[in-house]
Amino acid sequence: EKGGYDYFMLKEIAEQPKAVADTLLGRIDAAGSLTLDEVRISASELREVDKVVIVACGTAFHAGMIAKYAIEHWTRIPCEVELASEFRYRDPILDARSLVIAISQSGETMDTLMALRHAREQGSKVLAICNTNGSTIPRESDAVLYTHAGPEVAVASTKAFLTQLVACYLVALYLGQVRGTKWGDEIGAVIRDLSQISGAVERVLETMEPVRELARTLAHKNTVLFLGRHVGYPVALEGALKLKELAYMHAEGFAAGELKHGPIALIEDDLPVVVVVPSPRGRSVLHDKIVSNIQEIRARGARTIVIAEEGDEAVVPYADHLIRIPVTPTLLQPLVATVPLQVFACELATARGNEVDQPRNLAKSVTVE
Ligand code: F6R
Protein backbone atom coordinates (compact mmCIF):
# COMPACT_ATOMS: atom_id res chain seq x y z
CA GLU A 1 0.00 0.00 0.00
CA LYS A 2 3.04 2.27 0.26
CA GLY A 3 3.42 1.76 -3.47
CA GLY A 4 7.07 0.73 -3.25
CA TYR A 5 8.10 3.63 -0.99
CA ASP A 6 9.60 3.10 2.46
CA TYR A 7 7.16 5.52 4.04
CA PHE A 8 3.73 6.89 3.31
CA MET A 9 5.24 10.35 3.57
CA LEU A 10 7.57 9.67 0.63
CA LYS A 11 4.67 8.32 -1.38
CA GLU A 12 2.54 11.33 -0.53
CA ILE A 13 5.33 13.77 -1.42
CA ALA A 14 5.65 12.01 -4.78
CA GLU A 15 1.87 12.19 -5.35
CA GLN A 16 1.85 15.97 -5.15
CA PRO A 17 1.82 16.76 -8.88
CA LYS A 18 -1.26 14.58 -9.28
CA ALA A 19 -2.91 15.90 -6.11
CA VAL A 20 -2.46 19.46 -7.37
CA ALA A 21 -3.80 18.60 -10.84
CA ASP A 22 -6.77 16.72 -9.36
CA THR A 23 -7.68 19.68 -7.19
CA LEU A 24 -7.76 21.92 -10.27
CA LEU A 25 -9.65 19.38 -12.39
CA GLY A 26 -13.01 20.56 -13.64
CA ARG A 27 -12.71 23.90 -11.88
CA ILE A 28 -11.26 25.94 -14.74
CA ASP A 29 -13.29 25.95 -17.95
CA ALA A 30 -12.00 26.14 -21.53
CA ALA A 31 -12.37 29.92 -21.55
CA GLY A 32 -10.16 30.20 -18.45
CA SER A 33 -13.00 31.07 -16.05
CA LEU A 34 -13.53 29.38 -12.73
CA THR A 35 -16.56 27.18 -12.23
CA LEU A 36 -16.80 26.55 -8.51
CA ASP A 37 -20.44 25.43 -8.51
CA GLU A 38 -19.83 23.61 -5.26
CA VAL A 39 -19.42 26.91 -3.45
CA ARG A 40 -23.07 27.31 -2.65
CA ILE A 41 -22.70 30.86 -1.42
CA SER A 42 -24.41 33.01 -4.05
CA ALA A 43 -22.56 35.50 -6.21
CA SER A 44 -24.59 38.32 -4.68
CA GLU A 45 -23.60 37.23 -1.17
CA LEU A 46 -19.96 37.02 -2.22
CA ARG A 47 -20.19 40.53 -3.64
CA GLU A 48 -21.35 41.75 -0.20
CA VAL A 49 -18.38 40.26 1.63
CA ASP A 50 -16.33 43.02 3.26
CA LYS A 51 -13.86 40.87 5.17
CA VAL A 52 -12.39 37.39 4.85
CA VAL A 53 -11.26 35.59 7.99
CA ILE A 54 -9.28 32.37 7.71
CA VAL A 55 -9.06 29.93 10.61
CA ALA A 56 -6.91 26.80 10.72
CA CYS A 57 -4.21 24.98 12.69
CA GLY A 58 -0.64 23.89 12.00
CA THR A 59 0.17 23.30 8.38
CA ALA A 60 -3.32 24.35 7.30
CA PHE A 61 -2.71 27.66 9.09
CA HIS A 62 0.38 28.18 6.95
CA ALA A 63 -1.76 27.64 3.85
CA GLY A 64 -4.09 30.29 5.27
CA MET A 65 -1.23 32.75 5.75
CA ILE A 66 -0.32 32.36 2.07
CA ALA A 67 -3.98 32.72 1.08
CA LYS A 68 -4.10 36.11 2.77
CA TYR A 69 -1.46 37.49 0.39
CA ALA A 70 -3.37 36.14 -2.61
CA ILE A 71 -6.83 37.25 -1.46
CA GLU A 72 -5.79 40.78 -0.60
CA HIS A 73 -3.71 41.21 -3.74
CA TRP A 74 -6.23 39.79 -6.19
CA THR A 75 -9.50 40.93 -4.62
CA ARG A 76 -8.60 43.90 -2.39
CA ILE A 77 -10.85 42.44 0.32
CA PRO A 78 -9.23 42.75 3.76
CA CYS A 79 -8.25 39.30 5.00
CA GLU A 80 -7.25 38.12 8.43
CA VAL A 81 -5.80 34.75 9.25
CA GLU A 82 -5.84 33.36 12.73
CA LEU A 83 -4.95 30.19 14.57
CA ALA A 84 -8.26 28.46 15.19
CA SER A 85 -7.30 27.79 18.81
CA GLU A 86 -6.98 31.52 19.50
CA PHE A 87 -9.88 32.75 17.44
CA ARG A 88 -13.03 32.56 19.50
CA TYR A 89 -11.39 33.40 22.81
CA ARG A 90 -10.60 36.95 21.76
CA ASP A 91 -14.18 37.84 20.85
CA PRO A 92 -13.50 38.46 17.13
CA ILE A 93 -15.56 41.03 15.24
CA LEU A 94 -17.74 39.17 12.75
CA ASP A 95 -21.06 39.69 11.03
CA ALA A 96 -23.09 38.56 8.04
CA ARG A 97 -20.67 40.26 5.65
CA SER A 98 -17.65 38.35 6.94
CA LEU A 99 -16.67 35.27 4.97
CA VAL A 100 -14.93 32.77 7.21
CA ILE A 101 -12.75 30.13 5.56
CA ALA A 102 -11.94 27.07 7.67
CA ILE A 103 -9.04 25.01 6.28
CA SER A 104 -8.65 21.42 7.47
CA GLN A 105 -7.25 18.27 5.91
CA SER A 106 -9.08 15.90 8.25
CA GLY A 107 -12.23 17.96 8.70
CA GLU A 108 -12.23 16.82 12.34
CA THR A 109 -9.85 19.26 14.06
CA MET A 110 -11.67 20.39 17.18
CA ASP A 111 -10.06 23.84 17.37
CA THR A 112 -11.09 24.61 13.80
CA LEU A 113 -14.58 23.23 14.35
CA MET A 114 -15.12 25.37 17.44
CA ALA A 115 -13.88 28.45 15.54
CA LEU A 116 -16.32 27.88 12.70
CA ARG A 117 -19.22 27.27 15.08
CA HIS A 118 -18.40 30.56 16.74
CA ALA A 119 -18.35 32.32 13.35
CA ARG A 120 -21.73 30.89 12.36
CA GLU A 121 -23.22 31.99 15.67
CA GLN A 122 -22.19 35.54 14.74
CA GLY A 123 -24.06 35.18 11.44
CA SER A 124 -21.02 34.76 9.17
CA LYS A 125 -20.94 32.40 6.23
CA VAL A 126 -18.37 29.64 6.52
CA LEU A 127 -16.61 28.04 3.59
CA ALA A 128 -14.62 24.91 4.40
CA ILE A 129 -11.54 23.82 2.47
CA CYS A 130 -11.25 20.16 3.34
CA ASN A 131 -9.73 16.90 2.13
CA THR A 132 -12.12 14.45 3.79
CA ASN A 133 -15.54 13.92 2.28
CA GLY A 134 -18.43 14.12 4.67
CA SER A 135 -16.30 14.99 7.72
CA THR A 136 -17.60 17.24 10.48
CA ILE A 137 -16.13 20.58 9.38
CA PRO A 138 -17.66 20.56 5.87
CA ARG A 139 -20.95 19.21 7.27
CA GLU A 140 -21.20 22.16 9.63
CA SER A 141 -20.15 24.77 7.04
CA ASP A 142 -22.31 26.70 4.59
CA ALA A 143 -20.23 25.45 1.69
CA VAL A 144 -17.18 23.35 0.99
CA LEU A 145 -14.44 23.26 -1.59
CA TYR A 146 -12.86 19.83 -1.40
CA THR A 147 -9.17 19.34 -1.99
CA HIS A 148 -8.54 16.20 -4.00
CA ALA A 149 -5.30 15.04 -2.43
CA GLY A 150 -6.62 11.55 -1.76
CA PRO A 151 -6.15 9.99 1.67
CA GLU A 152 -3.15 11.34 3.56
CA VAL A 153 -1.79 8.67 5.90
CA ALA A 154 1.52 10.11 7.16
CA VAL A 155 0.96 12.30 10.19
CA ALA A 156 3.00 15.14 8.69
CA SER A 157 0.95 16.91 6.08
CA THR A 158 2.45 17.27 2.59
CA LYS A 159 0.14 16.74 -0.36
CA ALA A 160 -2.82 18.05 1.61
CA PHE A 161 -0.91 21.31 2.13
CA LEU A 162 -0.23 21.81 -1.57
CA THR A 163 -3.85 21.14 -2.42
CA GLN A 164 -5.00 23.51 0.33
CA LEU A 165 -2.92 26.17 -1.36
CA VAL A 166 -4.51 25.39 -4.72
CA ALA A 167 -7.98 25.59 -3.17
CA CYS A 168 -7.11 28.90 -1.52
CA TYR A 169 -5.90 30.34 -4.83
CA LEU A 170 -9.11 29.13 -6.49
CA VAL A 171 -11.25 30.82 -3.83
CA ALA A 172 -9.25 34.03 -4.12
CA LEU A 173 -9.53 34.04 -7.91
CA TYR A 174 -13.22 33.15 -7.72
CA LEU A 175 -13.88 36.07 -5.39
CA GLY A 176 -12.06 38.26 -7.90
CA GLN A 177 -14.10 36.83 -10.76
CA VAL A 178 -17.45 37.27 -9.02
CA ARG A 179 -16.67 40.77 -7.84
CA GLY A 180 -14.89 41.90 -10.98
CA THR A 181 -11.90 43.13 -8.98
CA LYS A 182 -8.66 43.31 -10.92
CA TRP A 183 -10.29 40.89 -13.30
CA GLY A 184 -8.19 41.18 -16.36
CA ASP A 185 -4.81 40.32 -17.71
CA GLU A 186 -3.13 39.51 -14.43
CA ILE A 187 -5.81 37.13 -13.20
CA GLY A 188 -6.07 35.45 -16.60
CA ALA A 189 -2.32 34.89 -16.57
CA VAL A 190 -2.42 33.51 -13.04
CA ILE A 191 -5.11 31.00 -13.98
CA ARG A 192 -2.99 29.85 -16.92
CA ASP A 193 0.06 29.50 -14.67
CA LEU A 194 -1.95 27.65 -12.06
CA SER A 195 -3.20 25.17 -14.61
CA GLN A 196 0.41 24.32 -15.48
CA ILE A 197 1.81 24.28 -11.96
CA SER A 198 1.60 20.53 -11.51
CA GLY A 199 4.40 20.13 -14.08
CA ALA A 200 6.57 22.52 -12.07
CA VAL A 201 6.00 20.47 -8.90
CA GLU A 202 7.00 17.38 -10.88
CA ARG A 203 10.22 19.05 -12.00
CA VAL A 204 11.15 19.94 -8.41
CA LEU A 205 10.68 16.33 -7.37
CA GLU A 206 13.08 15.19 -10.07
CA THR A 207 15.92 17.27 -8.60
CA MET A 208 15.71 16.31 -4.92
CA GLU A 209 18.73 14.02 -4.60
CA PRO A 210 21.16 16.82 -3.55
CA VAL A 211 18.62 17.92 -0.92
CA ARG A 212 18.60 14.40 0.53
CA GLU A 213 22.39 14.30 0.57
CA LEU A 214 22.54 17.65 2.30
CA ALA A 215 19.98 16.56 4.92
CA ARG A 216 22.06 13.52 5.79
CA THR A 217 25.12 15.68 6.46
CA LEU A 218 23.11 17.81 8.90
CA ALA A 219 21.66 14.99 10.97
CA HIS A 220 23.89 15.80 13.96
CA LYS A 221 22.83 19.46 14.17
CA ASN A 222 20.67 20.81 16.98
CA THR A 223 19.09 23.80 15.28
CA VAL A 224 18.04 24.86 11.80
CA LEU A 225 16.58 28.28 11.03
CA PHE A 226 14.31 29.18 8.12
CA LEU A 227 13.89 32.64 6.62
CA GLY A 228 11.48 34.02 4.07
CA ARG A 229 9.69 37.17 3.02
CA HIS A 230 6.17 37.72 1.68
CA VAL A 231 4.70 34.29 0.82
CA GLY A 232 8.14 32.82 1.50
CA TYR A 233 7.61 33.61 5.19
CA PRO A 234 4.82 31.05 5.73
CA VAL A 235 6.89 28.62 3.63
CA ALA A 236 9.74 29.14 6.12
CA LEU A 237 7.32 28.47 9.00
CA GLU A 238 6.16 25.30 7.28
CA GLY A 239 9.74 24.13 6.72
CA ALA A 240 10.45 24.64 10.42
CA LEU A 241 7.27 22.84 11.50
CA LYS A 242 8.10 19.82 9.33
CA LEU A 243 11.56 19.63 10.86
CA LYS A 244 10.25 19.86 14.43
CA GLU A 245 7.64 17.20 14.05
CA LEU A 246 9.72 14.75 12.02
CA ALA A 247 13.34 15.27 13.03
CA TYR A 248 12.60 16.47 16.61
CA MET A 249 15.07 19.27 16.03
CA HIS A 250 14.84 22.83 17.18
CA ALA A 251 13.71 24.72 14.11
CA GLU A 252 12.31 28.19 13.75
CA GLY A 253 10.97 30.20 10.88
CA PHE A 254 11.34 33.96 10.71
CA ALA A 255 10.31 36.77 8.44
CA ALA A 256 13.70 37.74 7.03
CA GLY A 257 13.05 41.40 7.80
CA GLU A 258 12.79 40.54 11.50
CA LEU A 259 16.36 39.24 11.63
CA LYS A 260 17.86 42.49 12.77
CA HIS A 261 15.16 42.86 15.44
CA GLY A 262 16.50 39.91 17.40
CA PRO A 263 16.98 36.54 15.73
CA ILE A 264 20.28 37.49 14.12
CA ALA A 265 21.80 37.05 17.59
CA LEU A 266 21.23 33.32 17.15
CA ILE A 267 23.56 33.08 14.17
CA GLU A 268 26.77 31.27 14.99
CA ASP A 269 29.42 29.45 13.08
CA ASP A 270 28.09 26.73 10.78
CA LEU A 271 24.44 27.15 11.85
CA PRO A 272 22.29 25.92 8.96
CA VAL A 273 19.90 28.61 7.74
CA VAL A 274 17.46 27.86 4.95
CA VAL A 275 16.41 30.93 2.97
CA VAL A 276 13.42 30.98 0.63
CA VAL A 277 14.18 33.56 -2.04
CA PRO A 278 11.34 35.31 -3.91
CA SER A 279 11.49 35.65 -7.66
CA PRO A 280 13.88 38.35 -8.94
CA ARG A 281 11.18 39.25 -11.45
CA GLY A 282 7.96 40.88 -10.30
CA ARG A 283 8.50 42.40 -6.90
CA SER A 284 12.27 42.66 -7.18
CA VAL A 285 12.61 44.85 -4.06
CA LEU A 286 11.79 41.77 -2.02
CA HIS A 287 14.45 39.82 -3.83
CA ASP A 288 17.16 42.42 -3.29
CA LYS A 289 16.33 42.66 0.41
CA ILE A 290 16.60 38.96 0.94
CA VAL A 291 19.90 38.77 -0.92
CA SER A 292 21.29 41.28 1.57
CA ASN A 293 19.82 39.21 4.45
CA ILE A 294 21.71 36.20 3.12
CA GLN A 295 24.93 38.25 3.00
CA GLU A 296 24.37 39.42 6.59
CA ILE A 297 23.92 35.96 8.06
CA ARG A 298 26.74 34.46 6.03
CA ALA A 299 29.10 37.18 7.21
CA ARG A 300 28.28 35.98 10.74
CA GLY A 301 29.14 32.39 9.95
CA ALA A 302 25.79 30.83 8.96
CA ARG A 303 25.80 27.92 6.55
CA THR A 304 23.33 29.21 3.96
CA ILE A 305 20.95 26.84 2.21
CA VAL A 306 19.31 28.92 -0.47
CA ILE A 307 16.12 28.01 -2.32
CA ALA A 308 16.00 30.18 -5.42
CA GLU A 309 14.49 30.26 -8.88
CA GLU A 310 16.32 28.85 -11.85
CA GLY A 311 18.29 31.67 -13.44
CA ASP A 312 18.59 33.73 -10.25
CA GLU A 313 22.33 34.40 -10.33
CA ALA A 314 22.43 37.10 -7.64
CA VAL A 315 22.24 34.54 -4.84
CA VAL A 316 25.05 32.32 -6.13
CA PRO A 317 27.99 34.03 -4.36
CA TYR A 318 26.28 33.76 -0.95
CA ALA A 319 24.83 30.25 -1.13
CA ASP A 320 26.76 27.44 0.55
CA HIS A 321 24.08 25.13 -0.84
CA LEU A 322 21.79 26.12 -3.66
CA ILE A 323 18.44 24.43 -4.30
CA ARG A 324 16.84 25.43 -7.58
CA ILE A 325 13.09 25.69 -8.13
CA PRO A 326 11.23 26.46 -11.37
CA VAL A 327 10.27 30.00 -12.32
CA THR A 328 6.73 30.67 -11.03
CA PRO A 329 4.66 33.79 -10.37
CA THR A 330 5.46 35.23 -6.93
CA LEU A 331 2.17 34.29 -5.27
CA LEU A 332 2.29 30.70 -6.54
CA GLN A 333 5.91 30.07 -5.51
CA PRO A 334 4.97 28.26 -2.26
CA LEU A 335 3.69 25.34 -4.37
CA VAL A 336 7.22 24.63 -5.54
CA ALA A 337 9.30 26.10 -2.69
CA THR A 338 7.71 23.90 0.00
CA VAL A 339 8.60 20.62 -1.69
CA PRO A 340 12.37 20.68 -0.98
CA LEU A 341 11.60 21.49 2.66
CA GLN A 342 9.37 18.41 2.95
CA VAL A 343 12.06 16.22 1.42
CA PHE A 344 14.69 17.80 3.66
CA ALA A 345 12.72 17.12 6.86
CA CYS A 346 11.81 13.59 5.81
CA GLU A 347 15.41 12.69 5.03
CA LEU A 348 16.75 14.27 8.22
CA ALA A 349 14.22 12.33 10.26
CA THR A 350 15.27 9.09 8.54
CA ALA A 351 18.94 9.85 9.12
CA ARG A 352 18.20 10.39 12.81
CA GLY A 353 16.40 7.06 12.99
CA ASN A 354 12.97 8.54 13.63
CA GLU A 355 9.65 7.01 12.69
CA VAL A 356 8.70 9.18 9.71
CA ASP A 357 5.02 8.34 9.34
CA GLN A 358 4.21 8.29 13.05
CA PRO A 359 6.25 10.97 14.84
CA ARG A 360 6.24 10.70 18.61
CA ASN A 361 3.48 12.47 20.56
CA LEU A 362 1.46 13.36 17.45
CA ALA A 363 -1.85 12.17 16.04
CA LYS A 364 -3.15 12.58 12.50
CA SER A 365 -6.29 14.30 13.55
CA VAL A 366 -6.58 16.31 16.72
CA THR A 367 -10.11 15.94 17.99
CA VAL A 368 -9.62 17.57 21.36
CA GLU A 369 -9.31 21.29 22.01
C1 F6R B 1 1.59 19.19 10.34
C2 F6R B 1 0.23 18.72 10.55
C3 F6R B 1 -0.66 19.46 11.50
C4 F6R B 1 -2.04 19.70 10.87
C5 F6R B 1 -2.99 20.35 11.87
C6 F6R B 1 -4.35 20.63 11.25
O1 F6R B 1 2.27 18.40 9.44
O2 F6R B 1 -0.17 17.77 9.95
O3 F6R B 1 -0.08 20.69 11.87
O4 F6R B 1 -1.88 20.49 9.73
O5 F6R B 1 -3.15 19.52 12.99
O6 F6R B 1 -4.95 19.46 10.82
P1 F6R B 1 -6.19 19.50 9.85
O7 F6R B 1 -5.72 20.07 8.54
O8 F6R B 1 -6.63 18.06 9.71
O9 F6R B 1 -7.23 20.36 10.48
Side-chain angles (χ1 to χ4, degrees), residues 57-60 104-106 109 155-157 164 242 245:
C57 306
T59 288
S104 174
Q105 187 286 128
S106 62
T109 301
V155 166
S157 188
Q164 283 162 353
K242 288 280 104 74
E245 59 183 335

Side-chain angles (χ1 to χ4, degrees), residues 19-136:
V20 162
D22 286 350
T23 301
L24 288 166
L25 200 69
R27 288 170 170 167
I28 300 173
D29 70 17
S33 296
L34 298 172
T35 47
L36 301 187
D37 301 335
E38 321 142 75
V39 177
R40 292 162 309 158
I41 301 175
S42 70
S44 62
E45 278 170 309
L46 290 177
R47 276 191 283 271
E48 291 299 304
V49 168
D50 65 0
K51 176 164 85 166
V52 176
V53 180
I54 302 175
V55 290
C57 306
T59 288
F61 173 71
H62 298 151
M65 285 180 77
I66 293 164
K68 173 184 162 78
Y69 288 87
I71 290 171
E72 292 194 337
H73 181 69
W74 290 333
T75 73
R76 309 308 296 155
I77 308 170
C79 176
E80 297 167 14
V81 49
E82 187 153 0
L83 291 167
S85 57
E86 288 293 320
F87 183 64
R88 69 193 175 113
Y89 299 104
R90 72 170 172 88
D91 194 12
I93 300 163
L94 296 166
D95 58 31
R97 296 183 67 181
S98 319
L99 174 67
V100 174
I101 303 179
I103 310 175
S104 174
Q105 187 286 128
S106 62
E108 301 296 346
T109 301
M110 188 56 75
D111 288 316
T112 311
L113 180 62
M114 296 314 267
L116 84 81
R117 282 186 184 158
H118 184 78
R120 293 196 75 194
E121 280 162 17
Q122 315 302 307
S124 306
K125 291 276 184 209
V126 176
L127 168 66
I129 291 178
C130 184
N131 196 46
T132 311
N133 269 30
S135 54
T136 311

Side-chain angles (χ1 to χ4, degrees), residues 20 24 166 193-202 328-329 332 335-336:
V20 162
L24 288 166
V166 169
D193 290 327
L194 196 55
S195 56
Q196 286 160 16
I197 204 82
S198 142
V201 178
E202 184 83 61
T328 39
L332 303 186
L335 286 169
V336 291

Side-chain angles (χ1 to χ4, degrees), residues 98-294:
S98 319
L99 174 67
V100 174
I101 303 179
I103 310 175
S104 174
Q105 187 286 128
S106 62
E108 301 296 346
T109 301
M110 188 56 75
D111 288 316
T112 311
L113 180 62
M114 296 314 267
L116 84 81
R117 282 186 184 158
H118 184 78
R120 293 196 75 194
E121 280 162 17
Q122 315 302 307
S124 306
K125 291 276 184 209
V126 176
L127 168 66
I129 291 178
C130 184
N131 196 46
T132 311
N133 269 30
S135 54
T136 311
I137 287 171
R139 272 194 282 118
E140 292 206 16
S141 299
D142 296 283
V144 53
L145 187 65
Y146 279 110
T147 50
H148 295 154
E152 193 179 61
V153 178
V155 166
S157 188
T158 54
K159 62 176 181 171
F161 176 68
L162 258 61
T163 61
Q164 283 162 353
L165 288 178
V166 169
C168 287
Y169 294 133
L170 288 173
V171 169
L173 293 166
Y174 188 64
L175 281 170
Q177 175 173 300
V178 167
R179 297 162 64 102
T181 344
K182 276 209 166 186
W183 194 256
D185 289 352
E186 182 185 349
I187 302 278
V190 170
I191 292 181
R192 273 194 304 282
D193 290 327
L194 196 55
S195 56
Q196 286 160 16
I197 204 82
S198 142
V201 178
E202 184 83 61
R203 289 207 300 289
V204 184
L205 286 170
E206 285 162 5
T207 58
M208 287 298 96
E209 196 43 46
V211 175
R212 285 188 202 98
E213 276 166 36
L214 171 64
R216 290 193 286 269
T217 67
L218 298 175
H220 62 288
K221 292 282 183 188
N222 296 317
T223 297
V224 180
L225 302 184
F226 294 77
L227 301 178
R229 272 181 186 265
H230 193 260
V231 291
Y233 168 43
V235 171
L237 295 178
E238 175 61 8
L241 178 62
K242 288 280 104 74
L243 207 59
K244 285 176 217 175
E245 59 183 335
L246 293 162
Y248 317 148
M249 284 166 88
H250 172 229
E252 269 193 85
F254 299 108
E258 275 293 293
L259 263 182
K260 57 185 174 301
H261 301 290
I264 200 160
L266 290 169
I267 306 293
E268 57 187 20
D269 207 33
D270 212 35
L271 179 78
V273 184
V274 179
V275 189
V276 184
V277 180
S279 169
R281 303 157 303 108
R283 259 151 282 180
S284 58
V285 208
L286 284 175
H287 177 265
D288 298 350
K289 291 220 159 100
I290 214 154
V291 173
S292 60
N293 294 141
I294 303 173

